[in-house]
Structure formats: C-alpha cells, structure tokens
Amino acid sequence: MNVYLDLFLTFAKVGVMTFGGGYAMLPILQREVVENKHWAKDEELMDYYAIGQCTPGVIAVNTATFIGKKFKGIPGGIIATLGVVFPSLVIITLIAAVLTNFADLPVVQNAFAGIRVCVCVFIFNAVMKLWKSAVVDIPTGVLFAIVFLGSVFLDLSPVVYVLFAGIMGIVLTVMGVRKK
C-alpha cells in the first residue's frame, strides 16, 4: 500500500475511533503508532505528547503531525494531520446538522454523560501506560509528585510544568542522580 495512504488511513482510524478530545486519543495513538506500525517508540511518543501539550493546538493533532513528519518528512506531517482531523470534520458537520434539534432531549444528555465517563477511563489507561515507562525510579517519582501537586494546586500554564520537568531531568542527570 502507498505509505502516504497508510499514514492517512492510520491517523484517520485514530481520529474516527476517538471520542472525548485529544487526551482520549492517546491510548489509540500509542497502540497504532508504537505497537502496530512501529513508527515511534513509547519514549518518543511521550516526548511528542509533551511537545504537543506545549504548542498551540490540539495535542492529538500536534502529535500526529510530529509522527508523520518523523516518518515521512513534511509531506508525512501534513498527511498525518489531515488524516487525524478528517473524520472529526465529517462527523462534527453531520452531528451539528442533527444535534441542534435533539440536544435538549434527556436521552441525548444521558448518553453524553455516559460517554464522558468512558472517556475518563480511556485517559486513565493512557496515563497508566505512560506511567510505566516514565516513572522508572525514585527521582522520576518525586518529579512526578511535584508536577502533579503543582498542577492540582497552582494555576500555571502546562508549559511551565514541562519546562520545569525538562530542566529537572537535565539537572538530575548532570548531578548523577539519574543515569542517561
């Protein structure tokens, strides 16, 4: 199959199978990109998530762009981006045409309440997979705790946390607390 078509279809599959926004795409991206296609490793994908969180736009779209660019250069980045947003564009257009007439129905509101719960489970699963490869020793566990508590109690931009964690990763390695 044409590699660009494969790239588009893979990210379209991610886009069409995901409900609940960018974070809900993370476990599907991990399965498709790391496990099925081997276009990136778990560590690379986590780096893309971090960069995607710090750059303007939706994290899943940014991540798709990074992966496509890594795999097939600038055309790959464009194709992956188009692939991940195309299903949403089509589905949202169709839903918007119909939902405005039915949004106030209790059955529709209840369905969305159930979907939100399901999305929370998907995000939790993504966090657990990332946890296993990110928090690998006591220093990374402490760093996780600091960033987690900071994000819960302080109203700072995610960029601040990512920069802090990156600097701390460098400092801990230079100090010899962590091995490279």
Side-chain angles (χ1 to χ4, degrees):
M1 181 188 328
N2 179 315
V3 290
Y4 292 109
L5 181 60
D6 189 28
L7 194 60
F8 180 87
L9 292 176
T10 298
F11 282 98
K13 178 180 177 183
V14 169
V16 81
M17 292 176 56
T18 304
F19 295 89
Y23 290 107
M25 285 185 180
L26 301 184
I28 299 170
L29 271 170
Q30 193 275 339
R31 184 183 65 236
E32 289 299 321
V33 171
V34 175
E35 295 174 13
N36 294 347
K37 299 293 183 177
H38 308 287
W39 290 338
K41 296 181 176 145
D42 274 322
E43 295 80 20
E44 290 174 303
L45 193 58
M46 287 178 24
D47 292 342
Y48 296 149
Y49 292 162
I51 295 167
Q53 178 67 39
C54 295
T55 53
V58 179
I59 188 172
V61 174
N62 294 346
T63 303
T65 305
F66 288 127
I67 293 166
K69 164 84 170 60
K70 176 194 178 252
F71 181 58
K72 292 306 280 178
I74 291 173
I78 293 168
I79 297 294
T81 302
L82 292 174
V84 80
V85 299
F86 182 74
S88 297
L89 180 66
V90 172
I91 292 168
I92 290 299
T93 302
L94 294 173
I95 290 174
V98 174
L99 189 61
T100 54
N101 297 324
F102 301 104
D104 293 331
L105 293 177
V107 68
V108 173
Q109 293 174 350
N110 292 334
F112 280 117
I115 290 170
R116 283 191 297 272
V117 170
C118 183
V119 167
C120 288
V121 171
F122 292 152
I123 293 170
F124 179 76
N125 286 338
V127 168
M128 293 311 297
K129 284 184 180 182
L130 292 173
W131 171 275
K132 291 175 186 173
S133 60
V135 181
V136 295
D137 53 19
I138 292 173
T140 54
V142 170
L143 184 57
F144 173 87
I146 291 168
V147 172
F148 177 77
L149 291 172
S151 69
V152 169
F153 294 110
L154 303 173
D155 187 25
L156 299 175
S157 167
V159 174
V160 172
Y161 297 111
V162 172
L163 289 174
F164 170 76
I167 290 168
M168 289 307 300
I170 293 168
V171 167
L172 292 173
T173 302
V174 168
M175 290 175 52
V177 176
R178 290 202 75 238
K179 293 190 175 28
K180 293 181 184 176

